[in-house]
Amino acid sequence: MGAEDLTSIGVDFVDPEVEASARAVLAAVEDELRTCVTSADPMITEAARHLVEAGGKRFRPLLVALGAQFGDPTARMVVPAAVVMELTHLATLYHDDVMDEAPVRRGVRSANSRWTNSVAILVGDYLFARAADLAADLGTDAVRLQARTFARLVHGQIAETVGPRDGVEPVAHYLDVLAEKTGSLIATSARFGGMFGGATPEQTEALSRYGEKMGIAFQLSDDLLDIASESEQSGKTPGTDLREGVPTLPVLYALASDDTDAAATRLREILAAGPVTDDDLHAEALVLLRESAAMKRARETVRSYAEEARERLAPLPANPTRAALESLCDFIADRTG
């Protein structure tokens, strides 16, 4: 992983030794990932390596690496723990692409479009199995934690698919889904770093609480970038969620708004009709959303979660690693304007 990649994630390293240590873990993770997804069947190997080789932020292994800094980042199980987290994450992406019918992932054809939905699902299952196999080497506590994290991921995916139940406010439901689907795995990544680096139980718990809030903030900021970015800064064409009818936070705030001005009324009218597939309406909705009170409120929500993440770091010693984790909070708060 190059310097530009860590910069794009938002980490500001104030200590070159901490940065070098994190890079060493991430480099080892890359090598181990390719080994772990290799199968006796060449087709399975090709399909399983598909997203590994497409790259990605490796945000979860990074949090394992940083969490381990509060103990011994060279401890034997730190790299395997990071690989377990990334394999689990990659497995969910194969399943997500089938559910979303996504044609592209990380700039390459998605596995489901290159092969079939069935192959993509089974490859995702294979990666989950490889993660579980590797977790067994980490001990009973790690196996239990990974299984419980996986259960939260599935719970969140089901909740997202079913939608809010009667009497449940859509924004609250959406934030709960993000906590389950995204926050849970990032929380466990940070916890694994503390656990296997040898941090104290109090420090490990603080890392986990930080990770959950950071995961929610990171996903929310991605949602805002999908609307706010003029380029492909968000990793996909701006307004993709809007076109696909994905109800992200700014859209939910806009739909719940009781503003009576012409712009807010017109925006609700467009959004209430479902997926905005018409090009002219799509362009109009993007303009209205970018200037809306709903977008401002969504930005404030992102900042709130980023600040909550920072507060969770209080039990940790004030050292360069904590400063690196805090820099992520600043990056998330600032990246959407």
Side-chain angles (χ1 to χ4, degrees), residues 273-311:
V276 187
T277 55
D278 178 85
D279 289 343
D280 291 338
L281 284 177
H282 183 267
E284 182 183 0
L286 272 181
V287 170
L288 290 170
L289 266 173
R290 287 168 179 168
E291 300 300 324
S292 68
M295 191 68 172
K296 179 181 178 181
R297 186 179 177 190
R299 287 191 174 102
E300 291 170 352
T301 302
V302 172
R303 293 190 182 97
S304 174
Y305 274 100
E307 191 55 39
E308 285 188 57
R310 187 197 308 278
E311 291 169 0

PDB file of all heavy atoms in Angstrom, residues 273-311:
ATOM      1  N   ALA A 273     -41.222   9.548  -5.349  1.00  0.00           N
ATOM      2  CA  ALA A 273     -41.621   8.689  -6.466  1.00  0.00           C
ATOM      3  C   ALA A 273     -40.750   7.434  -6.588  1.00  0.00           C
ATOM      4  O   ALA A 273     -41.032   6.564  -7.401  1.00  0.00           O
ATOM      5  CB  ALA A 273     -41.575   9.476  -7.773  1.00  0.00           C
ATOM      6  N   GLY A 274     -39.683   7.341  -5.761  1.00  0.00           N
ATOM      7  CA  GLY A 274     -38.828   6.158  -5.817  1.00  0.00           C
ATOM      8  C   GLY A 274     -37.541   6.428  -6.572  1.00  0.00           C
ATOM      9  O   GLY A 274     -37.089   7.581  -6.647  1.00  0.00           O
ATOM     10  N   PRO A 275     -36.912   5.394  -7.157  1.00  0.00           N
ATOM     11  CA  PRO A 275     -35.656   5.572  -7.879  1.00  0.00           C
ATOM     12  C   PRO A 275     -35.757   6.681  -8.924  1.00  0.00           C
ATOM     13  O   PRO A 275     -36.715   6.719  -9.703  1.00  0.00           O
ATOM     14  CB  PRO A 275     -35.432   4.209  -8.546  1.00  0.00           C
ATOM     15  CG  PRO A 275     -36.161   3.247  -7.668  1.00  0.00           C
ATOM     16  CD  PRO A 275     -37.368   3.987  -7.171  1.00  0.00           C
ATOM     17  N   VAL A 276     -34.771   7.573  -8.941  1.00  0.00           N
ATOM     18  CA  VAL A 276     -34.787   8.709  -9.866  1.00  0.00           C
ATOM     19  C   VAL A 276     -33.963   8.321 -11.090  1.00  0.00           C
ATOM     20  O   VAL A 276     -32.751   8.565 -11.156  1.00  0.00           O
ATOM     21  CB  VAL A 276     -34.228   9.980  -9.198  1.00  0.00           C
ATOM     22  CG1 VAL A 276     -34.411  11.183 -10.121  1.00  0.00           C
ATOM     23  CG2 VAL A 276     -34.901  10.231  -7.861  1.00  0.00           C
ATOM     24  N   THR A 277     -34.608   7.702 -12.063  1.00  0.00           N
ATOM     25  CA  THR A 277     -33.906   7.174 -13.229  1.00  0.00           C
ATOM     26  C   THR A 277     -33.904   8.138 -14.418  1.00  0.00           C
ATOM     27  O   THR A 277     -33.045   8.044 -15.288  1.00  0.00           O
ATOM     28  CB  THR A 277     -34.525   5.834 -13.668  1.00  0.00           C
ATOM     29  OG1 THR A 277     -35.925   6.022 -13.892  1.00  0.00           O
ATOM     30  CG2 THR A 277     -34.349   4.786 -12.583  1.00  0.00           C
ATOM     31  N   ASP A 278     -34.857   9.038 -14.464  1.00  0.00           N
ATOM     32  CA  ASP A 278     -34.893  10.020 -15.542  1.00  0.00           C
ATOM     33  C   ASP A 278     -33.711  10.978 -15.392  1.00  0.00           C
ATOM     34  O   ASP A 278     -33.488  11.549 -14.324  1.00  0.00           O
ATOM     35  CB  ASP A 278     -36.206  10.802 -15.494  1.00  0.00           C
ATOM     36  CG  ASP A 278     -36.271  11.876 -16.572  1.00  0.00           C
ATOM     37  OD1 ASP A 278     -36.655  11.547 -17.702  1.00  0.00           O
ATOM     38  OD2 ASP A 278     -35.918  13.039 -16.252  1.00  0.00           O
ATOM     39  N   ASP A 279     -32.945  11.173 -16.468  1.00  0.00           N
ATOM     40  CA  ASP A 279     -31.713  11.966 -16.383  1.00  0.00           C
ATOM     41  C   ASP A 279     -31.969  13.402 -15.942  1.00  0.00           C
ATOM     42  O   ASP A 279     -31.219  13.957 -15.126  1.00  0.00           O
ATOM     43  CB  ASP A 279     -30.980  11.953 -17.730  1.00  0.00           C
ATOM     44  CG  ASP A 279     -30.354  10.607 -18.044  1.00  0.00           C
ATOM     45  OD1 ASP A 279     -30.203   9.797 -17.107  1.00  0.00           O
ATOM     46  OD2 ASP A 279     -30.015  10.361 -19.221  1.00  0.00           O
ATOM     47  N   ASP A 280     -32.994  14.008 -16.463  1.00  0.00           N
ATOM     48  CA  ASP A 280     -33.277  15.402 -16.111  1.00  0.00           C
ATOM     49  C   ASP A 280     -33.714  15.525 -14.646  1.00  0.00           C
ATOM     50  O   ASP A 280     -33.260  16.419 -13.924  1.00  0.00           O
ATOM     51  CB  ASP A 280     -34.366  15.976 -17.028  1.00  0.00           C
ATOM     52  CG  ASP A 280     -33.878  16.162 -18.462  1.00  0.00           C
ATOM     53  OD1 ASP A 280     -32.642  16.250 -18.655  1.00  0.00           O
ATOM     54  OD2 ASP A 280     -34.721  16.204 -19.379  1.00  0.00           O
ATOM     55  N   LEU A 281     -34.592  14.631 -14.216  1.00  0.00           N
ATOM     56  CA  LEU A 281     -35.030  14.649 -12.824  1.00  0.00           C
ATOM     57  C   LEU A 281     -33.870  14.332 -11.882  1.00  0.00           C
ATOM     58  O   LEU A 281     -33.749  14.912 -10.792  1.00  0.00           O
ATOM     59  CB  LEU A 281     -36.160  13.643 -12.603  1.00  0.00           C
ATOM     60  CG  LEU A 281     -37.550  14.040 -13.103  1.00  0.00           C
ATOM     61  CD1 LEU A 281     -38.533  12.905 -12.861  1.00  0.00           C
ATOM     62  CD2 LEU A 281     -38.033  15.314 -12.405  1.00  0.00           C
ATOM     63  N   HIS A 282     -33.010  13.418 -12.318  1.00  0.00           N
ATOM     64  CA  HIS A 282     -31.851  13.040 -11.518  1.00  0.00           C
ATOM     65  C   HIS A 282     -30.933  14.240 -11.309  1.00  0.00           C
ATOM     66  O   HIS A 282     -30.489  14.524 -10.182  1.00  0.00           O
ATOM     67  CB  HIS A 282     -31.093  11.899 -12.213  1.00  0.00           C
ATOM     68  CG  HIS A 282     -29.922  11.383 -11.449  1.00  0.00           C
ATOM     69  ND1 HIS A 282     -28.644  11.859 -11.628  1.00  0.00           N
ATOM     70  CD2 HIS A 282     -29.833  10.435 -10.487  1.00  0.00           C
ATOM     71  CE1 HIS A 282     -27.818  11.216 -10.823  1.00  0.00           C
ATOM     72  NE2 HIS A 282     -28.508  10.343 -10.114  1.00  0.00           N
ATOM     73  N   ALA A 283     -30.665  14.960 -12.383  1.00  0.00           N
ATOM     74  CA  ALA A 283     -29.813  16.151 -12.283  1.00  0.00           C
ATOM     75  C   ALA A 283     -30.466  17.211 -11.393  1.00  0.00           C
ATOM     76  O   ALA A 283     -29.791  17.849 -10.576  1.00  0.00           O
ATOM     77  CB  ALA A 283     -29.544  16.711 -13.675  1.00  0.00           C
ATOM     78  N   GLU A 284     -31.767  17.376 -11.532  1.00  0.00           N
ATOM     79  CA  GLU A 284     -32.472  18.358 -10.709  1.00  0.00           C
ATOM     80  C   GLU A 284     -32.428  17.972  -9.228  1.00  0.00           C
ATOM     81  O   GLU A 284     -32.183  18.821  -8.346  1.00  0.00           O
ATOM     82  CB  GLU A 284     -33.928  18.471 -11.167  1.00  0.00           C
ATOM     83  CG  GLU A 284     -34.732  19.518 -10.395  1.00  0.00           C
ATOM     84  CD  GLU A 284     -36.194  19.571 -10.813  1.00  0.00           C
ATOM     85  OE1 GLU A 284     -36.612  18.795 -11.708  1.00  0.00           O
ATOM     86  OE2 GLU A 284     -36.937  20.385 -10.216  1.00  0.00           O
ATOM     87  N   ALA A 285     -32.651  16.688  -8.950  1.00  0.00           N
ATOM     88  CA  ALA A 285     -32.638  16.225  -7.564  1.00  0.00           C
ATOM     89  C   ALA A 285     -31.269  16.403  -6.926  1.00  0.00           C
ATOM     90  O   ALA A 285     -31.165  16.787  -5.752  1.00  0.00           O
ATOM     91  CB  ALA A 285     -33.065  14.762  -7.501  1.00  0.00           C
ATOM     92  N   LEU A 286     -30.212  16.133  -7.689  1.00  0.00           N
ATOM     93  CA  LEU A 286     -28.859  16.315  -7.160  1.00  0.00           C
ATOM     94  C   LEU A 286     -28.604  17.764  -6.773  1.00  0.00           C
ATOM     95  O   LEU A 286     -28.065  18.056  -5.703  1.00  0.00           O
ATOM     96  CB  LEU A 286     -27.812  15.858  -8.180  1.00  0.00           C
ATOM     97  CG  LEU A 286     -27.398  14.387  -8.162  1.00  0.00           C
ATOM     98  CD1 LEU A 286     -26.329  14.138  -9.221  1.00  0.00           C
ATOM     99  CD2 LEU A 286     -26.874  13.974  -6.790  1.00  0.00           C
ATOM    100  N   VAL A 287     -28.997  18.682  -7.641  1.00  0.00           N
ATOM    101  CA  VAL A 287     -28.812  20.104  -7.356  1.00  0.00           C
ATOM    102  C   VAL A 287     -29.593  20.499  -6.102  1.00  0.00           C
ATOM    103  O   VAL A 287     -29.078  21.180  -5.209  1.00  0.00           O
ATOM    104  CB  VAL A 287     -29.248  20.961  -8.551  1.00  0.00           C
ATOM    105  CG1 VAL A 287     -29.281  22.438  -8.173  1.00  0.00           C
ATOM    106  CG2 VAL A 287     -28.292  20.754  -9.726  1.00  0.00           C
ATOM    107  N   LEU A 288     -30.837  20.066  -6.020  1.00  0.00           N
ATOM    108  CA  LEU A 288     -31.672  20.410  -4.875  1.00  0.00           C
ATOM    109  C   LEU A 288     -31.131  19.808  -3.577  1.00  0.00           C
ATOM    110  O   LEU A 288     -31.121  20.465  -2.527  1.00  0.00           O
ATOM    111  CB  LEU A 288     -33.105  19.926  -5.107  1.00  0.00           C
ATOM    112  CG  LEU A 288     -33.900  20.678  -6.187  1.00  0.00           C
ATOM    113  CD1 LEU A 288     -35.205  19.943  -6.480  1.00  0.00           C
ATOM    114  CD2 LEU A 288     -34.191  22.114  -5.735  1.00  0.00           C
ATOM    115  N   LEU A 289     -30.671  18.552  -3.649  1.00  0.00           N
ATOM    116  CA  LEU A 289     -30.128  17.904  -2.460  1.00  0.00           C
ATOM    117  C   LEU A 289     -28.868  18.598  -1.968  1.00  0.00           C
ATOM    118  O   LEU A 289     -28.683  18.804  -0.762  1.00  0.00           O
ATOM    119  CB  LEU A 289     -29.819  16.432  -2.755  1.00  0.00           C
ATOM    120  CG  LEU A 289     -30.889  15.402  -2.413  1.00  0.00           C
ATOM    121  CD1 LEU A 289     -30.497  14.034  -2.930  1.00  0.00           C
ATOM    122  CD2 LEU A 289     -31.131  15.348  -0.903  1.00  0.00           C
ATOM    123  N   ARG A 290     -27.994  18.958  -2.894  1.00  0.00           N
ATOM    124  CA  ARG A 290     -26.723  19.577  -2.506  1.00  0.00           C
ATOM    125  C   ARG A 290     -26.932  20.897  -1.770  1.00  0.00           C
ATOM    126  O   ARG A 290     -26.117  21.263  -0.921  1.00  0.00           O
ATOM    127  CB  ARG A 290     -25.854  19.787  -3.751  1.00  0.00           C
ATOM    128  CG  ARG A 290     -25.266  18.499  -4.315  1.00  0.00           C
ATOM    129  CD  ARG A 290     -24.664  18.704  -5.694  1.00  0.00           C
ATOM    130  NE  ARG A 290     -24.096  17.455  -6.199  1.00  0.00           N
ATOM    131  CZ  ARG A 290     -23.719  17.269  -7.462  1.00  0.00           C
ATOM    132  NH1 ARG A 290     -23.872  18.252  -8.353  1.00  0.00           N
ATOM    133  NH2 ARG A 290     -23.204  16.119  -7.838  1.00  0.00           N
ATOM    134  N   GLU A 291     -28.015  21.594  -2.087  1.00  0.00           N
ATOM    135  CA  GLU A 291     -28.275  22.904  -1.469  1.00  0.00           C
ATOM    136  C   GLU A 291     -29.305  22.830  -0.348  1.00  0.00           C
ATOM    137  O   GLU A 291     -29.691  23.846   0.208  1.00  0.00           O
ATOM    138  CB  GLU A 291     -28.774  23.873  -2.548  1.00  0.00           C
ATOM    139  CG  GLU A 291     -27.797  24.097  -3.693  1.00  0.00           C
ATOM    140  CD  GLU A 291     -26.475  24.679  -3.220  1.00  0.00           C
ATOM    141  OE1 GLU A 291     -26.494  25.503  -2.283  1.00  0.00           O
ATOM    142  OE2 GLU A 291     -25.428  24.281  -3.760  1.00  0.00           O
ATOM    143  N   SER A 292     -29.719  21.630   0.012  1.00  0.00           N
ATOM    144  CA  SER A 292     -30.842  21.477   0.930  1.00  0.00           C
ATOM    145  C   SER A 292     -30.437  21.536   2.402  1.00  0.00           C
ATOM    146  O   SER A 292     -29.283  21.281   2.770  1.00  0.00           O
ATOM    147  CB  SER A 292     -31.547  20.140   0.671  1.00  0.00           C
ATOM    148  OG  SER A 292     -30.708  19.059   1.034  1.00  0.00           O
ATOM    149  N   ALA A 293     -31.423  21.832   3.243  1.00  0.00           N
ATOM    150  CA  ALA A 293     -31.236  21.757   4.690  1.00  0.00           C
ATOM    151  C   ALA A 293     -30.989  20.309   5.113  1.00  0.00           C
ATOM    152  O   ALA A 293     -30.288  20.054   6.099  1.00  0.00           O
ATOM    153  CB  ALA A 293     -32.468  22.310   5.405  1.00  0.00           C
ATOM    154  N   ALA A 294     -31.550  19.356   4.356  1.00  0.00           N
ATOM    155  CA  ALA A 294     -31.344  17.939   4.658  1.00  0.00           C
ATOM    156  C   ALA A 294     -29.873  17.559   4.530  1.00  0.00           C
ATOM    157  O   ALA A 294     -29.339  16.804   5.348  1.00  0.00           O
ATOM    158  CB  ALA A 294     -32.193  17.077   3.723  1.00  0.00           C
ATOM    159  N   MET A 295     -29.209  18.093   3.517  1.00  0.00           N
ATOM    160  CA  MET A 295     -27.788  17.811   3.322  1.00  0.00           C
ATOM    161  C   MET A 295     -26.964  18.425   4.457  1.00  0.00           C
ATOM    162  O   MET A 295     -26.037  17.793   4.985  1.00  0.00           O
ATOM    163  CB  MET A 295     -27.337  18.366   1.974  1.00  0.00           C
ATOM    164  CG  MET A 295     -25.948  17.917   1.546  1.00  0.00           C
ATOM    165  SD  MET A 295     -25.918  16.151   1.166  1.00  0.00           S
ATOM    166  CE  MET A 295     -24.261  16.017   0.474  1.00  0.00           C
ATOM    167  N   LYS A 296     -27.313  19.626   4.853  1.00  0.00           N
ATOM    168  CA  LYS A 296     -26.619  20.271   5.967  1.00  0.00           C
ATOM    169  C   LYS A 296     -26.795  19.450   7.244  1.00  0.00           C
ATOM    170  O   LYS A 296     -25.825  19.242   8.002  1.00  0.00           O
ATOM    171  CB  LYS A 296     -27.160  21.686   6.174  1.00  0.00           C
ATOM    172  CG  LYS A 296     -26.505  22.430   7.326  1.00  0.00           C
ATOM    173  CD  LYS A 296     -27.100  23.824   7.504  1.00  0.00           C
ATOM    174  CE  LYS A 296     -26.459  24.548   8.688  1.00  0.00           C
ATOM    175  NZ  LYS A 296     -27.054  25.901   8.898  1.00  0.00           N
ATOM    176  N   ARG A 297     -28.014  18.989   7.472  1.00  0.00           N
ATOM    177  CA  ARG A 297     -28.282  18.190   8.662  1.00  0.00           C
ATOM    178  C   ARG A 297     -27.509  16.873   8.627  1.00  0.00           C
ATOM    179  O   ARG A 297     -26.993  16.399   9.647  1.00  0.00           O
ATOM    180  CB  ARG A 297     -29.778  17.920   8.768  1.00  0.00           C
ATOM    181  CG  ARG A 297     -30.184  17.207  10.047  1.00  0.00           C
ATOM    182  CD  ARG A 297     -31.685  16.983  10.090  1.00  0.00           C
ATOM    183  NE  ARG A 297     -32.071  16.232  11.269  1.00  0.00           N
ATOM    184  CZ  ARG A 297     -33.280  15.732  11.475  1.00  0.00           C
ATOM    185  NH1 ARG A 297     -34.239  15.930  10.567  1.00  0.00           N
ATOM    186  NH2 ARG A 297     -33.553  15.055  12.571  1.00  0.00           N
ATOM    187  N   ALA A 298     -27.409  16.268   7.440  1.00  0.00           N
ATOM    188  CA  ALA A 298     -26.665  15.016   7.296  1.00  0.00           C
ATOM    189  C   ALA A 298     -25.179  15.236   7.593  1.00  0.00           C
ATOM    190  O   ALA A 298     -24.534  14.395   8.232  1.00  0.00           O
ATOM    191  CB  ALA A 298     -26.854  14.450   5.899  1.00  0.00           C
ATOM    192  N   ARG A 299     -24.633  16.354   7.126  1.00  0.00           N
ATOM    193  CA  ARG A 299     -23.233  16.668   7.436  1.00  0.00           C
ATOM    194  C   ARG A 299     -23.021  16.808   8.940  1.00  0.00           C
ATOM    195  O   ARG A 299     -22.005  16.351   9.486  1.00  0.00           O
ATOM    196  CB  ARG A 299     -22.804  17.957   6.723  1.00  0.00           C
ATOM    197  CG  ARG A 299     -22.616  17.822   5.227  1.00  0.00           C
ATOM    198  CD  ARG A 299     -21.932  19.061   4.653  1.00  0.00           C
ATOM    199  NE  ARG A 299     -21.627  18.881   3.240  1.00  0.00           N
ATOM    200  CZ  ARG A 299     -22.347  19.404   2.253  1.00  0.00           C
ATOM    201  NH1 ARG A 299     -23.415  20.144   2.533  1.00  0.00           N
ATOM    202  NH2 ARG A 299     -22.001  19.197   0.993  1.00  0.00           N
ATOM    203  N   GLU A 300     -23.968  17.445   9.603  1.00  0.00           N
ATOM    204  CA  GLU A 300     -23.877  17.603  11.058  1.00  0.00           C
ATOM    205  C   GLU A 300     -23.922  16.238  11.759  1.00  0.00           C
ATOM    206  O   GLU A 300     -23.242  16.023  12.768  1.00  0.00           O
ATOM    207  CB  GLU A 300     -25.004  18.498  11.552  1.00  0.00           C
ATOM    208  CG  GLU A 300     -24.860  19.957  11.120  1.00  0.00           C
ATOM    209  CD  GLU A 300     -26.097  20.792  11.409  1.00  0.00           C
ATOM    210  OE1 GLU A 300     -27.136  20.196  11.808  1.00  0.00           O
ATOM    211  OE2 GLU A 300     -26.040  22.018  11.235  1.00  0.00           O
ATOM    212  N   THR A 301     -24.707  15.324  11.206  1.00  0.00           N
ATOM    213  CA  THR A 301     -24.781  13.981  11.776  1.00  0.00           C
ATOM    214  C   THR A 301     -23.455  13.255  11.633  1.00  0.00           C
ATOM    215  O   THR A 301     -22.995  12.581  12.563  1.00  0.00           O
ATOM    216  CB  THR A 301     -25.909  13.168  11.113  1.00  0.00           C
ATOM    217  OG1 THR A 301     -27.147  13.850  11.272  1.00  0.00           O
ATOM    218  CG2 THR A 301     -26.017  11.777  11.723  1.00  0.00           C
ATOM    219  N   VAL A 302     -22.821  13.383  10.469  1.00  0.00           N
ATOM    220  CA  VAL A 302     -21.504  12.772  10.258  1.00  0.00           C
ATOM    221  C   VAL A 302     -20.510  13.312  11.282  1.00  0.00           C
ATOM    222  O   VAL A 302     -19.764  12.557  11.924  1.00  0.00           O
ATOM    223  CB  VAL A 302     -20.995  13.033   8.833  1.00  0.00           C
ATOM    224  CG1 VAL A 302     -19.542  12.562   8.684  1.00  0.00           C
ATOM    225  CG2 VAL A 302     -21.869  12.316   7.807  1.00  0.00           C
ATOM    226  N   ARG A 303     -20.495  14.633  11.426  1.00  0.00           N
ATOM    227  CA  ARG A 303     -19.560  15.246  12.391  1.00  0.00           C
ATOM    228  C   ARG A 303     -19.835  14.765  13.806  1.00  0.00           C
ATOM    229  O   ARG A 303     -18.913  14.564  14.604  1.00  0.00           O
ATOM    230  CB  ARG A 303     -19.652  16.767  12.305  1.00  0.00           C
ATOM    231  CG  ARG A 303     -19.143  17.342  10.993  1.00  0.00           C
ATOM    232  CD  ARG A 303     -19.019  18.860  11.052  1.00  0.00           C
ATOM    233  NE  ARG A 303     -18.580  19.397   9.773  1.00  0.00           N
ATOM    234  CZ  ARG A 303     -19.391  19.896   8.848  1.00  0.00           C
ATOM    235  NH1 ARG A 303     -20.695  19.968   9.089  1.00  0.00           N
ATOM    236  NH2 ARG A 303     -18.912  20.347   7.710  1.00  0.00           N
ATOM    237  N   SER A 304     -21.105  14.570  14.123  1.00  0.00           N
ATOM    238  CA  SER A 304     -21.476  14.103  15.453  1.00  0.00           C
ATOM    239  C   SER A 304     -20.912  12.711  15.718  1.00  0.00           C
ATOM    240  O   SER A 304     -20.349  12.452  16.796  1.00  0.00           O
ATOM    241  CB  SER A 304     -23.002  14.097  15.592  1.00  0.00           C
ATOM    242  OG  SER A 304     -23.391  13.510  16.816  1.00  0.00           O
ATOM    243  N   TYR A 305     -21.031  11.810  14.750  1.00  0.00           N
ATOM    244  CA  TYR A 305     -20.498  10.459  14.921  1.00  0.00           C
ATOM    245  C   TYR A 305     -18.972  10.474  14.964  1.00  0.00           C
ATOM    246  O   TYR A 305     -18.356   9.717  15.739  1.00  0.00           O
ATOM    247  CB  TYR A 305     -20.986   9.536  13.805  1.00  0.00           C
ATOM    248  CG  TYR A 305     -22.330   8.918  14.106  1.00  0.00           C
ATOM    249  CD1 TYR A 305     -23.500   9.432  13.543  1.00  0.00           C
ATOM    250  CD2 TYR A 305     -22.449   7.825  14.953  1.00  0.00           C
ATOM    251  CE1 TYR A 305     -24.740   8.879  13.825  1.00  0.00           C
ATOM    252  CE2 TYR A 305     -23.686   7.259  15.236  1.00  0.00           C
ATOM    253  CZ  TYR A 305     -24.821   7.793  14.675  1.00  0.00           C
ATOM    254  OH  TYR A 305     -26.052   7.233  14.973  1.00  0.00           O
ATOM    255  N   ALA A 306     -18.348  11.315  14.153  1.00  0.00           N
ATOM    256  CA  ALA A 306     -16.887  11.420  14.176  1.00  0.00           C
ATOM    257  C   ALA A 306     -16.409  11.915  15.540  1.00  0.00           C
ATOM    258  O   ALA A 306     -15.398  11.438  16.075  1.00  0.00           O
ATOM    259  CB  ALA A 306     -16.407  12.355  13.070  1.00  0.00           C
ATOM    260  N   GLU A 307     -17.140  12.861  16.112  1.00  0.00           N
ATOM    261  CA  GLU A 307     -16.773  13.381  17.423  1.00  0.00           C
ATOM    262  C   GLU A 307     -17.003  12.330  18.509  1.00  0.00           C
ATOM    263  O   GLU A 307     -16.208  12.214  19.456  1.00  0.00           O
ATOM    264  CB  GLU A 307     -17.566  14.657  17.735  1.00  0.00           C
ATOM    265  CG  GLU A 307     -17.056  15.416  18.950  1.00  0.00           C
ATOM    266  CD  GLU A 307     -15.581  15.760  18.879  1.00  0.00           C
ATOM    267  OE1 GLU A 307     -15.093  16.112  17.779  1.00  0.00           O
ATOM    268  OE2 GLU A 307     -14.899  15.658  19.927  1.00  0.00           O
ATOM    269  N   GLU A 308     -18.082  11.551  18.372  1.00  0.00           N
ATOM    270  CA  GLU A 308     -18.317  10.461  19.325  1.00  0.00           C
ATOM    271  C   GLU A 308     -17.181   9.445  19.257  1.00  0.00           C
ATOM    272  O   GLU A 308     -16.753   8.904  20.287  1.00  0.00           O
ATOM    273  CB  GLU A 308     -19.646   9.778  19.032  1.00  0.00           C
ATOM    274  CG  GLU A 308     -20.872  10.561  19.465  1.00  0.00           C
ATOM    275  CD  GLU A 308     -22.138   9.738  19.316  1.00  0.00           C
ATOM    276  OE1 GLU A 308     -22.203   8.645  19.911  1.00  0.00           O
ATOM    277  OE2 GLU A 308     -23.047  10.175  18.595  1.00  0.00           O
ATOM    278  N   ALA A 309     -16.700   9.163  18.036  1.00  0.00           N
ATOM    279  CA  ALA A 309     -15.571   8.240  17.891  1.00  0.00           C
ATOM    280  C   ALA A 309     -14.347   8.783  18.626  1.00  0.00           C
ATOM    281  O   ALA A 309     -13.661   8.046  19.348  1.00  0.00           O
ATOM    282  CB  ALA A 309     -15.258   8.024  16.413  1.00  0.00           C
ATOM    283  N   ARG A 310     -14.077  10.074  18.454  1.00  0.00           N
ATOM    284  CA  ARG A 310     -12.932  10.686  19.133  1.00  0.00           C
ATOM    285  C   ARG A 310     -13.065  10.552  20.653  1.00  0.00           C
ATOM    286  O   ARG A 310     -12.084  10.252  21.351  1.00  0.00           O
ATOM    287  CB  ARG A 310     -12.834  12.162  18.746  1.00  0.00           C
ATOM    288  CG  ARG A 310     -11.572  12.851  19.283  1.00  0.00           C
ATOM    289  CD  ARG A 310     -11.723  14.369  19.245  1.00  0.00           C
ATOM    290  NE  ARG A 310     -12.136  14.833  17.940  1.00  0.00           N
ATOM    291  CZ  ARG A 310     -11.312  15.024  16.910  1.00  0.00           C
ATOM    292  NH1 ARG A 310     -10.018  14.807  17.053  1.00  0.00           N
ATOM    293  NH2 ARG A 310     -11.776  15.460  15.753  1.00  0.00           N
ATOM    294  N   GLU A 311     -14.260  10.776  21.163  1.00  0.00           N
ATOM    295  CA  GLU A 311     -14.475  10.695  22.607  1.00  0.00           C
ATOM    296  C   GLU A 311     -14.200   9.292  23.143  1.00  0.00           C
ATOM    297  O   GLU A 311     -13.763   9.131  24.291  1.00  0.00           O
ATOM    298  CB  GLU A 311     -15.906  11.115  22.938  1.00  0.00           C
ATOM    299  CG  GLU A 311     -16.181  12.600  22.707  1.00  0.00           C
ATOM    300  CD  GLU A 311     -17.662  12.940  22.793  1.00  0.00           C
ATOM    301  OE1 GLU A 311     -18.472  12.009  23.025  1.00  0.00           O
ATOM    302  OE2 GLU A 311     -18.002  14.122  22.609  1.00  0.00           O
TER     303      GLU A 311
END
